[in-house]
Amino acid sequence: MSVAVAKPGEIKHNYLNAGDTVRSWLLTTDHKRIAVLYLVSVTLFFAVGGLLALLIRLELLTPQGDLMTSENYNRVFTMHGVVMIFLFLIPAIPAVLGNFLVPLMVGARDLAFPRLNLASWYVYMAGGLIATWAMVNGGVDTGWTFYPPYSSSYSTSQVTLTIIGAFLVGFSSIFTGINFIVTIHKMRAPGLTWFRLPLFIWAHYATSVIIVLGTPVVAITLLLVAVERVFRLGIFDPALGGDPILFQHLFWFYSHPAVYIMILPAMGVISEVIACFSRKRVFGYHFVAFSSVAIAVVGFLVWGHHMFTTGQSVYAGMVFSLLSFLVAVPSAVKVFNWTATMYKGTIEFRAPMLYVMGFLGLFVIGGLTGLFLASLATDIHLQDTYFVVAHFHYIMVGGTIFGYLAGLHFWWPKMTGRMYPEGIAKLAALIIFAGFNLTFFPQFVLGYLGMPRRYHWYPEEWQMLHVMSSAGTALLGIGYILPIFYLLWSLRNGALAGPNPWGATGLEWKTDSPPITHNFEETPIVTEEPYAYENHHQQEEVASGTGASTTKG
Amino acid sequence: MNNGHDTHTHIVPIKVYLLVYVALLVLLVATVGAAYLPGHHTLLNNVIALTIAVMKAVLVVLYFMHVRYSTRLTWLWASAGFFWLVIMFILTLGDYFTRHWVPVQGWE
């Protein structure tokens, strides 16, 4: 395989300059351009969800509801949840980094179904805009979980419209999932056997399995809520002969695995970054690969732990509690193997690596607090308190955002051909980590003390903890805004990256930065294991990793 | 394979489709008939209806969705879908059969 090197001053053809009209972007079938479209759109939706979060924390600064009415508060936290989960956390890594990298990493020219890929972006945008439209047209006040009978019989807000938005976004992710599965099965480069695949690919494969098998269930379930609401058919409302716990079974059958849709791709990013910046092959590669698949499978068996206090059978609760503990096994396998990978590695604390260290800390805290919630007895005390809010923010938000930002920084040189400024990127990582912990750690204490979620009035003695949490949000806001500025700045002013600025292994580093439209000039042939860092000369890697690195060994 | 050159498509004779269609209609009639069996609304009645529904689904998946003529990978995926469905039914029904029901007025 050849890497065509540009002569000084020569502008090489790449996917970014292959056409600069709006039309060439909106009708593109190039997976890399679609990834950029997703990057812009998920960033916008993240900003919307983030502003709603700021409003929530501003309201909670004082024990009284003095910024908005209870009804408006319900609408704000519901839309924060809907926007962040359906429009940011679920698509962020698969749709942006996955779209960009899956074909590059398997040595393919594009995804298996390029037009389906473009359609998935349009369907996503349609769903997102419908949900946004519902928000400005009165909003929705049911909580992002849309529990009936409130959502189907009593709420007067825009439930149906929001459900249609979520339904569409679900289909967008099904399209992406199908595309990844077929691409990974059918389009791997010669020599790229299953156990030579990067762990990022394994993680995306497991994620796609969950998406394809789980998402249709929630889509139909939400549609049934809309049907009950519009036609008064008794499905979930007991007053009409339905069963509200059935809704929760169906809803969580998808929505618990959805947590793994958010976290598994992040875990894929972590494996890549840790291997690169420790200069070692991933410890226990096979175990890490299979743990992704195990998380996908076991993740489908645990949904009932969301329903311990709903009137679900106590026997079912016991089974779900036991099964929930099982998920800890493959999750721990990953964490231990990452730690073992770093052990005696030549660790470089670049910005992506800082995000990875942050991820490890947050994931461990989030995972261990999950055990309190998976235990029947302690869950009865903690159910629907801020403990739950803190737990799922640590896992889903901390895990996904830290993974996403690690990946975005790691592959930014590949996506744009430019380096980001290292110093300020490290500062942003530290600010986000500090802000995140200041925001959500006090919420564990609040929840333990009994602060219920979704309330905006609370006893005065809890104000201090709420003030800490709100102060953390301000810090977090600054941390999130910084990358937007310096990454945009780097597009014009960043140092030229070259094909492989980190000295990393993997097919995506063996083509130009930014890649040409067809990814590779010749089909690559794979002859070695993944992460064969030991085979490469250390000298070469150090030479390519120049700059403000603080190397510790 | 009817067509030696193309390994990706399998042309199924119209006769097969019609036969499957007729089989589906027969099973439909059987479902309705089973509902009128004595001992209406019994557990047995549900079991019969669900069994017939599974048979119909299998016919649709095998013939109309072409899984019968597909690769082993497609077989694996189709069975995985069924496996997942079974998990959903077993765990959800596990709750239903062991739940402490609270009587609702008008629906006791």
Side-chain angles (χ1 to χ4, degrees), chain A residues 98-353:
Chain A
N99 251 333
F100 196 94
L101 293 163
V102 167
L104 282 169
M105 283 185 169
V106 301
R109 295 195 152 200
D110 206 317
L111 284 169
F113 309 115
R115 275 185 263 185
L116 187 70
N117 195 20
L118 181 65
S120 94
W121 182 72
Y122 276 103
V123 171
Y124 166 82
M125 287 309 287
L129 292 177
I130 288 173
T132 317
W133 190 42
M135 180 167 64
V136 293
N137 266 292
V140 61
D141 63 351
T142 59
W144 79 276
T145 48
F146 305 106
Y147 276 6
Y150 181 69
S151 63
S152 64
S153 296
Y154 302 104
S155 171
T156 52
S157 61
Q158 297 283 7
V159 179
T160 312
L161 210 54
T162 316
I163 279 177
I164 292 169
F167 182 87
L168 284 175
V169 174
F171 274 88
S172 155
S173 73
I174 292 174
F175 289 171
T176 306
I178 291 172
N179 235 332
F180 285 175
I181 288 170
V182 178
T183 308
I184 295 168
H185 269 286
K186 295 285 185 187
M187 296 171 71
R188 282 174 283 129
L192 192 58
T193 59
W194 278 91
F195 292 112
R196 283 179 179 173
L197 283 176
L199 289 164
F200 183 87
I201 298 293
W202 272 102
H204 273 74
Y205 185 73
T207 307
S208 306
V209 173
I210 305 175
I211 289 174
V212 171
L213 293 174
T215 316
V217 178
V218 81
I220 299 303
T221 307
L222 292 181
L223 212 59
L224 285 175
V225 171
V227 165
E228 180 166 287
R229 195 175 161 80
V230 177
F231 300 110
R232 311 298 303 144
L233 288 177
I235 302 161
F236 302 126
D237 183 352
L240 301 170
D243 178 9
I245 302 181
L246 175 64
F247 171 85
Q248 299 193 20
H249 275 298
L250 297 175
F251 180 83
W252 289 112
F253 181 78
Y254 163 81
S255 295
H256 188 80
V259 175
Y260 305 115
I261 297 179
M262 302 171 209
I263 197 82
L264 273 171
M267 291 170 155
V269 173
I270 302 304
S271 298
E272 299 297 318
V273 175
I274 279 196
C276 176
F277 291 122
S278 304
R279 299 282 149 205
K280 276 180 69 188
R281 65 181 75 220
V282 173
F283 180 84
Y285 167 91
H286 290 79
F287 280 91
V288 180
F290 280 123
S291 68
S292 289
V293 180
I295 287 174
V297 174
V298 184
F300 269 107
L301 305 173
V302 303
W303 75 86
H305 67 219
H306 293 262
M307 301 155 59
F308 287 158
T309 63
T310 59
Q312 173 189 242
S313 151
V314 71
Y315 301 106
M318 283 156 68
V319 172
F320 280 120
S321 180
L322 190 73
L323 289 169
S324 300
F325 287 125
L326 273 185
V327 186
V329 177
S331 309
V333 164
K334 281 191 188 289
V335 173
F336 287 131
N337 280 318
W338 288 327
T339 317
T341 307
M342 286 190 283
Y343 179 65
K344 288 193 175 172
T346 315
I347 301 176
E348 266 186 85
F349 286 104
R350 299 270 190 162
M353 194 63 175

Side-chain angles (χ1 to χ4, degrees), chain A residues 8 16 38 45 68 86 90 160 170 201 210 258 274-275 310 358 400 425 427 447 516:
Chain A
L16 287 171
Y38 265 116
F45 284 120
M68 51 189 124
F86 292 112
I90 290 176
T160 312
I201 298 293
I210 305 175
I274 279 196
T310 59
T400 309
L427 180 71
I516 55 172

Side-chain angles (χ1 to χ4, degrees), chain A residues 181 185 243 249 300 311 313, chain B residues 73 77 84 91 95-96 98-99:
Chain A
I181 288 170
H185 269 286
D243 178 9
H249 275 298
F300 269 107
S313 151
Chain B
L73 186 67
W77 267 90
W84 259 233
L91 286 178
D95 165 35
Y96 265 68
T98 53
R99 201 188 291 173

